[in-house]
């Protein structure tokens, strides 16, 4: 980029008295992200200070052409790591002009579950491990892989370093810092078992905020990969065969699980999750059957299992939790392309509200 362009894009607009708000929403596929920007008067302290807005739903597969307006309700704000200054990213959900959530709006129902008294008093925490694959733009083949061929077998790549083991670290690290800048509770990053695949973790975050933060982190990742000319894939099994898939392990605890005697509460919660295995699998992401094969550190999609320190189980309890008699557990079933609003609220529903 020329230095003049560079200077212009980094102009500080704080003195104008306005800021730029990038309104972000989930598109018609349920996983694609869309966004557009508007100028608003500064300061903005909460989503309530922002106006509702609208977009053409017929262009995102979310409304018919003859009645195309979809309304955006601002729900959560983050600092914008791209425009910096006072500028913000705004996570929105989508409604008809009559005020009904449209079918792809999964946030609305999730927020209702998290607003239930019994759920709220349990202060549910979520730590979500987002795995993803970076693809070469022109051929849609993983970063670092020879075009038309394969790298050496898995083994050296997990948490690996070196030019023949890790590809895309600049993107991963840029994303890490951008998320922290934005106000997202990223807790870490690591290289994954399949080369070209990476992970970051968001959390522990409370209730609906986990979903807002994960969606915002995905948006930032799409923007950074766009800049880098690399394609982001959230496919749960991007490459067939002896290659690890991509998941979105969801770590979970309630107040009672974190307190003394919590391990007993955890075991009861796991029992309830087992009773509703099918309902959870149905909500845990498209194409997950290609990933949950019982191989490559997964449990078979048809069987519910749990165990301490068992990475081949549906649910894993950590050694520390067992030892201390309290803590959290990990639901290993969700796919990388899952909707965190759906998954987090379903886990809260089954473990807190559901009565067998
Ligand atoms: P793994 O060993 O499965 O790779 P990670 O370290 O990648 O686990 O992710 C664990 C996630 O769980 C982190 O995001 C962490 O913040 C989160 N976590 C830690 N304690 C709790 C808790 N009590 N409840 C929910 N999530 C938690
Ligand atoms: Mn992890
Ligand atoms: Mn992982
Ligand atoms: Mn995990």
């Amino acid at each position: 980029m020329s230095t003049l362009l560079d200077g212009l894009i980094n102009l500080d607009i704080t003195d104008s008295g306005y800021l730029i708000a990038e309104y972000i929403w989930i598109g018609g596929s349920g996983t694609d992200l869309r966004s557009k920007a508007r100028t608003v008067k500064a300061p903005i302290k909460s989503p309530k200070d922002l106006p509702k807005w609208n977009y053409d739903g017929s262009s995102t597969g979310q409304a018919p052409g003859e009645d195309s307006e979809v309304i955006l309700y601002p729900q959560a704000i983050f600092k914008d790591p791209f425009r910096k200054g006072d500028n913000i990213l705004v996570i929105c959900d989508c409604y008809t002009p009559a005020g009904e959530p449209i079918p792809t709006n999964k946030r609305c129902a999730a927020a209702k579950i998290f607003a239930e008294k019994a759920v709220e008093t349990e202060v549910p925490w979520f730590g979500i491990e987002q795995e993803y694959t970076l693809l070469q733009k022109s051929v849609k083949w993983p970063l670092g892989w020879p075009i038309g061929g394969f790298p050496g077998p898995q083994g050296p790549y997990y948490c690996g370093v070196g030019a023949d083991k890790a590809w895309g670290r600049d993107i991963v690290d840029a994303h890490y810092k951008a998320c922290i800048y934005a106000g997202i509770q990223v807790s870490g990053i690591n290289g994954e078992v399949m080369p070209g695949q990476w992970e970051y973790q968001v959390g522990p975050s409370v209730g609906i905020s986990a979903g807002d933060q994960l969606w915002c982190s995905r948006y930032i990742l799409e923007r950074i990969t766009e800049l880098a000319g690399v394609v982001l894939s959230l496919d749960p099994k991007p490459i067939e065969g002896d290659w690890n898939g991509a998941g979105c392990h969801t770590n979970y605890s309630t107040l009672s699980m974190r307190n003394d005697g919590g391990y007993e509460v955890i075991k009861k919660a796991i029992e309830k999750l087992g009773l509703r295995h099918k309902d959870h699998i149905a909500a845990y992401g498209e194409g997950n059957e290609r990933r949950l094969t019982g191989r490559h550190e997964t449990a078979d999609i048809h069987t519910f299992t749990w165990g301490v320190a068992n990475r081949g189980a549906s649910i894993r309890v950590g050694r520390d939790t067992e030892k201390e008699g309290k803590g959290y557990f990990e639901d290993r079933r969700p796919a990388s392309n899952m909707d965190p609003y759906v998954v987090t609220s379903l886990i809260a529903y089954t473990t807190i509200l559901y009565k067998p």
Side-chain angles (χ1 to χ4, degrees):
M1 206 189 291
S2 79
T3 45
L4 182 54
L5 262 182
D6 225 17
L8 289 171
I9 206 163
N10 285 312
L11 274 177
D12 185 355
I13 61 165
T14 314
D15 288 344
S16 70
Y18 292 88
L19 59 79
I20 303 172
E22 189 78 29
Y23 279 50
I24 300 163
W25 70 95
I26 297 155
S29 75
T31 52
D32 58 314
L33 283 162
R34 309 281 176 135
S35 77
K36 59 176 185 167
R38 68 184 292 169
T39 313
V40 293
K41 205 147 184 50
I44 298 293
K45 302 254 182 255
S46 110
K48 290 188 187 69
D49 301 336
L50 287 163
K52 286 175 186 161
W53 203 12
N54 61 69
Y55 66 92
D56 167 17
S58 72
S59 299
T60 60
Q62 290 172 300
E66 64 278 8
D67 185 12
S68 66
E69 199 151 294
V70 179
I71 315 298
L72 292 167
Y73 291 22
Q75 300 289 6
I77 56 178
F78 297 91
K79 285 176 68 182
D80 183 339
F82 303 100
R83 295 195 178 102
K84 303 191 269 290
D86 292 333
N87 305 300
I88 52 177
L89 302 177
V90 184
I91 297 291
C92 302
D93 64 352
C94 303
Y95 296 80
T96 66
E100 293 293 323
I102 65 169
T104 48
N105 179 350
K106 306 298 182 194
R107 190 187 189 281
C108 185
K112 283 199 184 112
I113 289 173
F114 286 118
E116 294 265 351
K117 193 90 192 85
V119 177
E120 220 171 34
T121 53
E122 279 290 351
V123 200
W125 289 6
F126 298 94
I128 305 176
E129 304 167 51
Q130 176 71 66
E131 292 178 341
Y132 61 96
T133 310
L134 298 174
L135 305 177
Q136 302 171 51
K137 189 167 144 186
S138 50
V139 290
K140 303 278 173 74
W141 194 238
L143 215 59
W145 291 36
I147 293 170
F150 293 86
Q154 295 183 159
Y157 311 112
Y158 171 72
C159 298
V161 293
D164 55 347
K165 295 173 220 78
W167 291 275
R169 192 186 299 279
D170 279 358
I171 293 169
V172 175
D173 230 41
H175 175 253
Y176 190 10
K177 283 194 174 175
C179 283
I180 292 174
Y181 175 94
I184 294 166
Q185 295 167 286
V186 203
S187 55
I189 55 167
N190 63 265
E192 269 304 336
V193 176
M194 187 185 103
Q197 201 170 90
W198 296 84
E199 170 182 314
Y200 63 92
Q201 303 98 28
V202 171
S205 317
V206 180
I208 195 74
S209 164
D212 290 336
Q213 291 189 35
L214 194 76
W215 275 115
C216 191
S217 71
R218 285 178 179 174
Y219 176 84
I220 292 172
L221 188 53
E222 285 275 22
R223 288 282 305 274
I224 290 174
T225 51
E226 171 192 321
L227 282 171
V230 164
V231 171
L232 170 66
S233 169
L234 293 187
D235 191 300
K237 190 79 175 182
I239 309 292
E240 274 176 58
D242 214 3
W243 304 99
N244 273 31
C248 226
H249 299 166
T250 302
N251 300 270
Y252 172 66
S253 64
T254 61
L255 196 58
S256 333
M257 294 174 192
R258 295 187 291 272
N259 285 341
D260 287 344
Y263 194 27
E264 290 310 310
V265 184
I266 288 175
K267 282 192 265 194
K268 285 205 190 84
I270 293 174
E271 201 179 302
K272 290 210 262 177
L273 285 168
L275 294 173
R276 285 171 48 79
H277 179 62
K278 274 207 173 122
D279 302 271
H280 279 253
I281 287 295
Y284 277 10
E286 288 291 322
N288 209 10
E289 69 285 347
R290 290 183 278 120
R291 163 179 168 259
L292 295 181
T293 57
R295 298 179 62 227
H296 305 109
E297 299 173 51
T298 70
D300 180 85
I301 195 164
H302 303 293
T303 339
F304 181 85
T305 53
W306 77 277
V308 176
N310 184 355
R311 286 175 194 272
S314 317
I315 305 274
R316 177 176 68 95
V317 174
R319 281 258 177 259
D320 284 351
T321 296
E322 187 192 41
K323 201 172 109 211
E324 285 167 28
K326 61 182 173 188
Y328 67 101
F329 65 84
E330 173 190 40
D331 191 339
R332 299 178 60 81
R333 297 170 294 172
S336 47
N337 59 359
M338 62 83 150
D339 184 332
Y341 293 136
V342 174
V343 169
T344 58
S345 62
L346 191 59
I347 292 175
Y349 171 82
T350 299
T351 59
I352 303 171
L353 298 176
Y354 169 69
K355 304 273 182 279

